[in-house]
Amino acid sequence: MKLHEYQAKDVFAEAGIPVPESRLATSVDEVMEAVADIGYPAAIKAQVHVGGRGKAGGIKIATDEDEAREAAEDILGMDLKGYTVEKVLVEAGVDFENELYVGITMDRGEGEPVAMVSTEGGVDIESVAEETPEAIAREHIDPAFGLHPYQARKVVYEAGIPRDVAGDVASILSTLYDLYESKDASDIEINPVMITSDREVVAADAVMNIDEDALFRHPDLAEMEDEAAEDDLERKANEYGFDYVRLSGNVGIIGNGAGLVMTTLDLVDHYGGEPANFLDIGGGAKAERVANALDMVFADENVDAVVFNIFGGITRGDEVAKGINEALESFDEIPKKVVVRLAGTNAEEGMEILNTDLVEVEKTLEDAVQRAVENAQEASQ
């Protein structure tokens, strides 16, 4: 779950990290009231879950009332990379001399969190990592012991942070790790940390992503979830209780069990197709659940064909077949070609039940995936 900048800054401020004075606004009048209280210059920043807001016109600096009003009118309601801006953060301008990057994330290769510090703040840190990786100092953290103070100081000095602010930056890094651990964060960063002309350090931006599976431990954070930021299909998946990830391809995939679905994804790629989603309906799925899964995949405009891969264990093949028939019979016209592969418990019974006027049936997973990829390629031509 991604927190908005204003939400993450509230968490940071509560933990003692310095942040600029700011107010949230949802209308032009509220923006004008906020800048009247905060003063000029002020930053007016779109609150949407996308990167590159500044380059896309979602962040503007106002030095007077006319510029503030113009910025508010331009940003509120704008389409920013597919998201409508409904609220902005009005924030006091910072007179800064340098911009730094400070963050904590999981290094999956090492199996440990890693603290990262760089003097190349204010720019896309992924580009820095790719083009000049030596510009980022890193320190791995043993989760059994946490981030030791000496480690925070070490990575800050290795990054080349000026000595007069190094202690403050190390303190911010230590606080970020405390939040990363205590709030079950998956990523947490400040880009940039600004060094002001008075040699103070301020968090000018804030990113904090929370592990959704841990939200039951953090009801205060769960209340911050922005339903408007969710993809419609992801919202529908949550309603149905599915494990679902939307991808960029055109072959819809439905299966029971994460391993089976991942295998299907790999085979789609192997046979020259592109998966449109990961959708696991789980074990013991009944007809209604199967029908909901098909409804979801059909609702994805990117999907040109569907492969349904079920291995019967708890999930019986005949129940799945009933669900497929019920779902497809509810359509006046089948919107996408569906290929079904059933194996395991009651698979033969399920194959007999399937309405072959509505679906294509294959005995092996390889044949089913190949057929689905071919169907998608034909539909996209």
Side-chain angles (χ1 to χ4, degrees):
M1 185 194 82
K2 296 180 179 180
L3 298 188
H4 282 294
E5 176 190 0
Y6 75 92
Q7 295 169 326
K9 280 183 173 173
D10 285 345
V11 176
F12 288 4
E14 187 176 347
I17 295 175
V19 299
E21 181 184 359
S22 64
R23 280 175 54 181
L24 190 66
T26 58
S27 69
V28 174
D29 288 343
E30 289 182 5
V31 169
M32 300 312 295
E33 291 174 8
V35 290
D37 291 340
I38 292 172
Y40 297 98
I44 299 170
K45 310 167 80 173
Q47 298 299 287
V48 288
H49 294 301
V50 298
R53 290 174 299 165
K55 292 181 180 179
I59 298 177
K60 295 189 177 184
I61 305 298
T63 59
D64 58 36
E65 184 175 335
D66 290 339
E67 290 182 1
R69 182 174 297 278
E70 182 180 356
E73 291 173 348
D74 288 346
I75 296 175
L76 282 167
M78 76 179 295
D79 183 281
L80 194 60
K81 298 184 178 181
Y83 292 91
T84 300
V85 178
E86 297 178 348
K87 49 197 170 188
V88 295
L89 184 67
V90 181
E91 189 170 79
V94 178
D95 181 15
F96 68 95
E97 295 182 350
N98 291 303
E99 294 179 297
L100 315 175
Y101 170 88
V102 178
I104 309 283
T105 190
M106 174 60 68
D107 185 337
R108 301 194 182 280
E110 295 294 328
E112 290 181 331
V114 60
M116 299 183 293
V117 181
S118 176
T119 55
E120 301 291 323
V123 297
D124 181 10
I125 197 65
E126 284 79 10
S127 298
V128 176
E130 183 177 342
E131 297 169 8
T132 55
E134 67 277 4
I136 304 175
R138 297 172 173 83
E139 181 72 16
H140 285 89
I141 304 163
D142 187 334
F145 300 101
L147 179 65
H148 294 290
Y150 83 86
Q151 289 180 294
R153 294 192 298 269
K154 174 174 175 284
V155 70
V156 165
Y157 283 118
E158 287 179 350
I161 305 301
R163 293 181 66 88
D164 61 333
V165 295
D168 290 337
V169 176
S171 176
I172 287 177
L173 182 62
S174 295
T175 302
L176 283 184
Y177 182 75
D178 290 342
L179 290 172
Y180 175 88
E181 184 178 43
S182 64
K183 303 295 187 182
D184 290 298
S186 55
D187 298 285
I188 188 167
E189 68 178 38
I190 304 172
N191 186 21
V193 173
M194 288 183 171
I195 302 177
T196 72
S197 54
D198 296 328
R199 308 308 287 172
E200 296 179 349
V201 292
V202 179
D205 195 7
V207 172
M208 189 173 184
N209 299 329
I210 309 299
D211 182 349
E212 290 186 351
D213 291 332
L215 282 178
F216 71 94
R217 290 202 289 247
H218 308 286
D220 55 330
L221 296 178
E223 290 177 359
M224 297 181 182
E225 187 167 13
D226 185 358
E227 292 186 2
E230 280 190 316
D231 180 277
D232 287 341
L233 291 175
E234 291 173 347
R235 188 182 302 114
K236 186 176 286 190
N238 288 333
E239 293 174 1
Y240 289 150
F242 292 144
D243 289 327
Y244 174 82
V245 179
R246 192 175 188 180
L247 304 173
S248 59
N250 64 346
V251 180
I253 297 170
I254 303 172
N256 63 318
L260 198 66
V261 177
M262 286 302 300
T263 299
T264 312
L265 262 72
D266 289 341
L267 281 173
V268 167
D269 181 71
H270 176 73
Y271 287 117
E274 293 185 38
N277 65 271
F278 172 104
L279 200 165
D280 175 13
I281 63 174
K286 302 298 182 183
E288 181 182 1
R289 193 165 174 82
V290 175
N292 288 341
L294 280 167
D295 176 62
M296 264 199 65
V297 176
F298 285 161
D300 187 344
E301 295 180 355
N302 293 333
V303 171
D304 290 320
V306 180
V307 59
F308 212 116
N309 182 19
I310 296 294
F311 186 87
I314 299 174
T315 305
R316 290 165 32 199
D318 55 331
E319 282 287 344
V320 174
K322 290 177 184 177
I324 294 172
N325 286 345
E326 288 179 14
L328 294 178
E329 287 168 1
S330 67
F331 291 91
D332 294 331
E333 182 180 352
I334 308 303
K336 336 270 184 178
K337 287 187 177 180
V338 179
V339 183
V340 179
R341 175 261 190 175
L342 295 178
T345 305
N346 289 5
E348 291 184 5
E349 291 88 338
M351 300 284 257
E352 293 176 0
I353 291 172
L354 282 171
N355 185 342
T356 54
D357 291 333
L358 303 177
V359 300
E360 299 171 359
V361 179
E362 296 289 349
K363 290 185 177 180
T364 69
L365 176 56
E366 290 81 1
D367 289 342
V369 170
Q370 281 185 282
R371 175 71 72 88
V373 170
E374 291 170 359
N375 289 343
Q377 291 171 343
E378 290 175 3
S380 62
Q381 288 179 353

